[in-house]
Amino acid sequence: MSTGERGPILLILSAALMAGAGNGISIIAFPWLVLQRNGSALEASVVAMAATLPLLVATLFAGAAVDYLGRRRVSMISDLLSGLSVAAVPVIALTFGVEAVNVAVLATLAALGAFFDPAGMTARETMLPEAAARAGWTLDKANSYYEAVFNLAYIVGPGIGGLLIATLGGVNTMWVTAATFAVSIGLIAALRLAGAGVPDRTELPDRVWAGIVEGLRFVWNLRVLRVLALIDLVVVGLYMPMESVLFPKYFTDRDEPAQLGWVLMALSLGGLVGALGYAVTSRFVNRRATMLAAVLTLGATMTVIAFLPPLPLILAMAAIGGFAYGPIQPIYNYVMQTRAPQHLRGRVVGVMGSLAYAAGPVGLIVAGPLADSAGLRTTFLALSIPMLLLGLVAVFLPTLRDLDEPVTPPD
C-alpha cells in the first residue's frame, strides 16, 4: 500500500492530534487560572461546567452541521472558532489587564470553546470509514489508531500545559493552545477524500431540526446504541469531575501544576496503550467482555485514588484506569459506523456524544460544593463507588451481547 493512499488518514490523525493537544492544554489551563485567584473548587467547577454544559446541545448540532455542510469544511470552521476562543484570554489580558480575566470571562470563553470543539471532533471521526478504505485498513484498526492519537494528544497537551503554566503562566499558555488549532486547520485544508466535501442534500430533511430528530430517533430505536449511550452518560458524569475539578483542586492546593499534568498524562498514556492494544486484543476477547472489564477497572482505580495515596500510586492507578478504558471508544465508533447509514453518520455520532455529556454538568454541580464542604477524599468516593456499581449492573445487561453480532455496514 503506497504512502499516497494512506495520506488522507494520516492527515486526519495528525489534525486530531493537534486539536486534541490544544484541548488537553485547556483542560488544566482554565481551572488553573481560576484556582490561582482564590483556590475555590466551587468556582473551578463553574468554569468546568461552563466548558461542559454547551457540549450537550453543541454536539447535537455538530452532527447535523457535518451532515448538512460537509465534514472537511466543518472541521476547519470548528478549529478556527475554537482557536479564537482561547486566544481571547491573552488578548483580553493585554488589552484590559490580567484582572479582567476573571471567573465570568473564563467561564464564557470556556463555554464558547466547548461549543465549537464537538463539530471538529465529529467531522474528523465521520471521515474515518472512507479514509480507512482508501488506506486498506479495517475499521477496527482505523478506530484503534484514531483513539490512540486522541489519547496521545491528552498526553502531550496536559504535559506541555503544566510546563508552560510553570514557565510562562496560565494566560500566555493560551497562545500555544490557539496555535495547535491553526495547525489542525492547515492539515485538513490539504485533505482530499471522497465524502468529505459538500454533501448530497437529497437524502437529508429540509429542516435542520428535523434532521437532528431523525438522528435521535435512529439512536433511540436501535437498542445497542441506546444502551451504550446511557452507559456512557453515567461514566462521563462520574469521571469528568475527577479530571476537571478534583485533580486540579488537589494539585493547586499543593502548588504543583506539573504534577497535575503528569497525572492527566498517565491517564492518557494508559488510554493510548489500551486503544492501540485493542487492535490485537479484539482478535481474542469479545467486545462485551472488554467493555465490562473497562468499567469495573475504572471504578476500582478511582476508588484507590479516592484515598489520595502518594503520587506514584496515583500515577499507576491513573495509567491502569486509562489502559482499561482505552478500547471503549473504538468499540463505540465501530458500532456507530456499522449501524448508521452514510448520510446519517454525523448526526448519530453527534447524538451519542451529546447523550454522553448530558450528565457531566450534574456531576460538576455536585463535585465542586462537595469538595469544598466534605473534602476531596469523600468526593472521590462519591464518584468511584457508583462507577463500580455501574460495572456490576452492566454484567446483567443482555443488550451488550449485540456488540459481538456480525453486521454489514450500511450504504
Side-chain angles (χ1 to χ4, degrees):
M1 193 65 63
S2 66
T3 301
E5 290 173 311
R6 292 196 300 268
I9 200 162
L10 294 178
L11 287 172
I12 293 170
L13 294 176
S14 299
L17 175 64
M18 296 309 301
N23 287 325
I25 297 172
S26 297
I27 280 178
I28 64 170
F30 273 110
W32 194 270
L33 286 169
V34 176
L35 290 164
Q36 72 176 1
R37 296 173 65 91
N38 53 23
S40 170
L42 175 59
E43 291 190 355
S45 291
V46 170
V47 173
M49 186 172 62
T52 305
L53 190 58
L55 294 174
L56 173 59
V57 175
T59 312
L60 274 177
F61 283 96
V66 168
D67 284 342
Y68 279 79
L69 300 178
R71 298 162 186 169
R72 180 170 169 271
R73 179 189 300 171
V74 169
S75 178
M76 295 169 65
I77 293 173
S78 169
D79 285 341
L80 174 62
L81 296 175
S82 295
L84 291 174
S85 70
V86 294
V89 173
V91 169
I92 291 172
L94 287 172
T95 305
F96 302 103
V98 177
E99 301 78 15
V101 186
N102 54 36
V103 173
V105 169
L106 291 170
T108 300
L109 294 176
L112 288 173
F115 191 83
F116 301 136
D117 287 339
M121 293 186 286
T122 301
R124 289 184 287 271
E125 187 176 319
T126 54
M127 290 189 282
L128 284 177
E130 287 78 15
R134 179 88 169 265
W137 291 7
T138 65
L139 272 179
D140 278 331
K141 180 178 179 179
N143 286 317
S144 176
Y145 279 39
Y146 180 81
E147 294 304 324
V149 163
F150 189 79
N151 280 284
L152 178 61
Y154 281 86
I155 296 170
V156 174
I160 291 177
L163 293 174
L164 289 175
I165 290 171
T167 55
L168 302 179
V171 171
N172 288 328
T173 294
M174 291 304 193
W175 287 121
V176 179
T177 311
T180 63
F181 288 111
V183 175
S184 178
I185 292 171
L187 291 165
I188 295 298
L191 177 66
R192 299 294 181 269
L193 182 68
V198 179
D200 181 2
R201 297 288 294 270
T202 59
E203 295 185 277
L204 300 172
D206 291 334
R207 297 182 178 180
V208 174
W209 180 247
I212 294 174
V213 171
E214 184 182 14
L216 282 165
R217 188 180 298 116
F218 183 89
V219 170
W220 186 255
N221 290 337
L222 196 61
R223 184 176 59 178
V224 65
L225 285 178
R226 181 173 69 244
V227 171
L228 288 178
L230 293 174
I231 290 174
D232 211 25
L233 183 150
V234 177
V235 169
V236 171
L238 295 172
Y239 171 78
M240 189 170 293
M242 180 180 73
E243 182 180 85
S244 300
V245 176
L246 301 188
F247 278 141
K249 170 65 175 172
Y250 178 64
F251 289 106
T252 301
D253 288 347
R254 298 163 63 93
D255 194 26
E256 293 287 356
Q259 290 186 6
L260 172 60
W262 296 345
V263 171
L264 297 181
M265 285 172 64
L267 282 164
S268 292
L269 181 59
L272 168 65
V273 176
L276 283 175
Y278 173 68
V280 177
T281 59
S282 61
R283 304 174 191 172
F284 311 103
V285 183
N286 64 41
R287 296 184 183 93
R288 176 177 174 271
T290 300
M291 184 163 185
L292 294 176
V295 179
L296 288 167
T297 302
L298 189 58
T301 56
M302 285 174 62
T303 302
V304 174
I305 291 172
F307 292 96
L308 302 177
L311 180 63
L313 186 54
I314 292 178
L315 291 172
M317 291 298 100
I320 292 170
F323 174 80
Y325 212 74
I328 295 306
Q329 195 58 47
I331 291 175
Y332 276 42
N333 291 350
Y334 175 85
V335 174
M336 289 185 286
Q337 292 159 358
T338 56
R339 266 69 169 187
Q342 198 267 1
H343 71 278
L344 197 60
R345 193 185 302 157
R347 280 164 289 163
V348 169
V349 172
V351 167
M352 292 290 286
S354 65
L355 291 175
Y357 286 118
V362 176
L364 291 167
I365 289 172
V366 173
L370 187 60
D372 281 338
S373 60
L376 287 174
R377 184 170 299 177
T378 299
T379 309
F380 267 115
L381 285 172
L383 299 174
S384 64
I385 292 175
M387 186 77 78
L388 281 172
L389 294 176
L390 173 65
L392 294 174
V393 170
V395 172
F396 300 99
L397 294 177
T399 303
L400 293 183
R401 300 185 188 280
D402 293 349
L403 294 174
D404 298 297
E405 293 295 325
V407 177
T408 301
D411 296 331

